[in-house]
Amino acid sequence: MELAHKLFTALFPSRCLLCRNTIHLPVMEQEAVDIDICGPCISGLPHNCRYCSRCALPLPVDLPANVMCGRCIQKTPVFDYCQSLFRYEDDVIKLVHQLKFSDRLTCARSIGEMLVKGSERLFSTHGKPDCLLPVPLHSKRLYDRGYNQSIEISRGLARQHTMVIDHVSVIRQRSTATQTGLDARSRLKNIKGAFRLNKEISYDHVLIIDDVVTTSATVNELARLLKKNGVRKVGVLSFARAPLKT
């Protein structure tokens, strides 16, 4: 089946989601062929190379590695670790907007495959979680959009590591206003109490999956609920992390 997929991809190559150029891969290419973004465009994405060791906030490149940002020093997040592959800038914003607002589920597959690659170091450092928990959408927003983008980008990771995607144990009980445009204090107030447990959970280690972490208010509120209900370790993996506004 995998060979047939590679042959099909070689014979009928896809176009890059960003530059629209044809993506050519050798028939026996060993790398993932489900990333519909060409090599040059991937290389040109704003990789999150220097970041807070706790919340993955992008930091200036001249800072030493493994340092915490001022916010985490002042108030440690509830979640235990966080990794974000890219800074939420430039073409990364374009990809996320295609995923969330243009019904481009091909973006979900490509983003999911990039999360698979990014998870290798994460799992070697923090261990393999018991399940993936995509950030829940409220039922109204789910109905309007037709899918939860965090679930969609989790699928490749779940398949690669034979893991469960738990999208039923926690629900979003309040239809919160969009976090876009809100400052950090308003985001905290907006998201407080937005989630509730829908069924009993028995996980020891949960990995929250999100497309974009902005101030970390949403994932922190989820982590608080999970730990309140017996989860010992909570991590976060996202495609992108927003830098601080200047």
Side-chain angles (χ1 to χ4, degrees):
M1 191 71 177
E2 184 179 353
L3 177 59
H5 179 60
K6 289 178 179 178
L7 285 168
F8 182 86
T9 304
L11 292 171
F12 303 99
S14 58
R15 290 187 178 275
C16 175
L17 292 167
L18 293 172
C19 70
R20 305 307 300 165
N21 288 332
T22 301
I23 301 174
H24 294 285
L25 288 173
V27 173
M28 296 303 293
E29 176 65 67
Q30 293 301 309
E31 294 297 320
V33 295
D34 282 336
I35 300 180
D36 292 332
I37 306 172
C38 67
C41 281
I42 290 179
S43 299
L45 292 176
H47 293 256
N48 195 19
C49 299
R50 188 71 73 200
Y51 51 86
C52 171
S53 60
R54 188 59 179 261
C55 75
L57 178 74
L59 297 175
V61 293
D62 57 349
L63 287 180
N66 300 316
V67 298
M68 289 175 64
C69 68
R71 289 185 176 184
C72 288
I73 291 173
Q74 291 177 5
K75 188 174 183 180
T76 306
V78 178
F79 53 82
D80 298 284
Y81 62 91
C82 179
Q83 180 176 327
S84 297
L85 305 186
F86 301 99
R87 301 190 305 276
Y88 190 55
E89 299 171 347
D90 306 326
D91 279 338
V92 170
I93 296 177
K94 182 178 178 180
L95 286 170
V96 171
H97 282 195
Q98 287 186 50
L99 169 65
K100 294 172 75 169
F101 307 122
S102 300
D103 295 330
R104 296 292 296 275
L105 286 178
T106 51
C107 288
R109 187 179 65 247
S110 297
I111 289 172
E113 289 297 333
M114 286 188 272
L115 287 181
V116 169
K117 292 181 178 297
S119 69
E120 295 172 2
R121 182 166 58 87
L122 192 71
F123 288 3
S124 66
T125 302
H126 300 283
K128 180 181 174 181
D130 300 317
C131 80
L132 305 176
L133 197 153
V135 173
L137 290 181
H138 187 266
S139 56
K140 182 180 183 303
R141 186 164 296 173
L142 181 60
Y143 176 82
D144 291 341
R145 183 170 295 165
Y147 57 90
N148 181 337
Q149 73 278 0
S150 294
I151 293 177
E152 298 305 320
I153 67 175
S154 300
R155 296 191 188 280
L157 197 59
R159 183 173 58 252
Q160 177 70 22
H161 296 284
T162 319
M163 299 173 65
V164 173
I165 299 176
D166 188 338
H167 56 87
V168 296
S169 293
V170 178
I171 64 173
R172 201 171 195 130
Q173 64 179 350
R174 258 191 322 109
S175 181
T176 56
T178 177
Q179 297 277 71
T180 304
L182 299 179
D183 59 25
R185 186 183 297 273
S186 299
R187 284 173 178 263
L188 286 171
K189 184 177 180 180
N190 184 49
I191 203 67
K192 187 173 177 60
F195 304 104
R196 71 171 174 83
L197 213 61
N198 189 45
K199 60 189 291 284
E200 186 177 348
I201 54 176
S202 57
Y203 305 119
D204 180 67
H205 181 184
V206 172
L207 182 64
I208 297 170
I209 304 293
D210 204 359
D211 55 343
V212 181
V213 171
T214 306
T215 64
S216 75
T218 299
V219 292
N220 206 49
E221 185 68 14
L222 263 177
R224 180 177 288 108
L225 176 66
L226 292 170
K227 290 202 168 186
K228 182 180 177 181
N229 286 276
V231 178
R232 180 185 61 85
K233 188 174 185 179
V234 179
V236 179
L237 175 61
S238 73
F239 177 60
R241 181 71 160 91
L244 285 178
K245 293 181 178 179
T246 55

PDB file of all heavy atoms in Angstrom, residues 20 212 228:
ATOM      1  N   ARG A  20       3.053  26.939  -5.092  1.00  0.00           N
ATOM      2  CA  ARG A  20       2.267  26.317  -6.165  1.00  0.00           C
ATOM      3  C   ARG A  20       3.134  25.631  -7.224  1.00  0.00           C
ATOM      4  O   ARG A  20       2.613  25.194  -8.249  1.00  0.00           O
ATOM      5  CB  ARG A  20       1.333  27.332  -6.859  1.00  0.00           C
ATOM      6  CG  ARG A  20       0.397  28.061  -5.916  1.00  0.00           C
ATOM      7  CD  ARG A  20      -0.392  27.097  -5.053  1.00  0.00           C
ATOM      8  NE  ARG A  20      -1.221  26.180  -5.852  1.00  0.00           N
ATOM      9  CZ  ARG A  20      -1.770  25.072  -5.367  1.00  0.00           C
ATOM     10  NH1 ARG A  20      -1.551  24.715  -4.107  1.00  0.00           N
ATOM     11  NH2 ARG A  20      -2.515  24.314  -6.150  1.00  0.00           N
ATOM     12  N   VAL A 212      -2.096  26.628  16.804  1.00  0.00           N
ATOM     13  CA  VAL A 212      -1.329  27.813  17.187  1.00  0.00           C
ATOM     14  C   VAL A 212      -1.496  28.072  18.683  1.00  0.00           C
ATOM     15  O   VAL A 212      -2.616  28.081  19.197  1.00  0.00           O
ATOM     16  CB  VAL A 212      -1.802  29.066  16.417  1.00  0.00           C
ATOM     17  CG1 VAL A 212      -0.965  30.277  16.824  1.00  0.00           C
ATOM     18  CG2 VAL A 212      -1.725  28.854  14.917  1.00  0.00           C
ATOM     19  N   LYS A 228      -6.287  18.646  37.606  1.00  0.00           N
ATOM     20  CA  LYS A 228      -7.287  18.623  38.676  1.00  0.00           C
ATOM     21  C   LYS A 228      -7.979  17.265  38.732  1.00  0.00           C
ATOM     22  O   LYS A 228      -8.467  16.853  39.789  1.00  0.00           O
ATOM     23  CB  LYS A 228      -8.319  19.734  38.435  1.00  0.00           C
ATOM     24  CG  LYS A 228      -9.383  19.854  39.505  1.00  0.00           C
ATOM     25  CD  LYS A 228     -10.338  20.979  39.175  1.00  0.00           C
ATOM     26  CE  LYS A 228     -11.459  21.071  40.209  1.00  0.00           C
ATOM     27  NZ  LYS A 228     -12.420  22.166  39.872  1.00  0.00           N
TER      28      LYS A 228
END
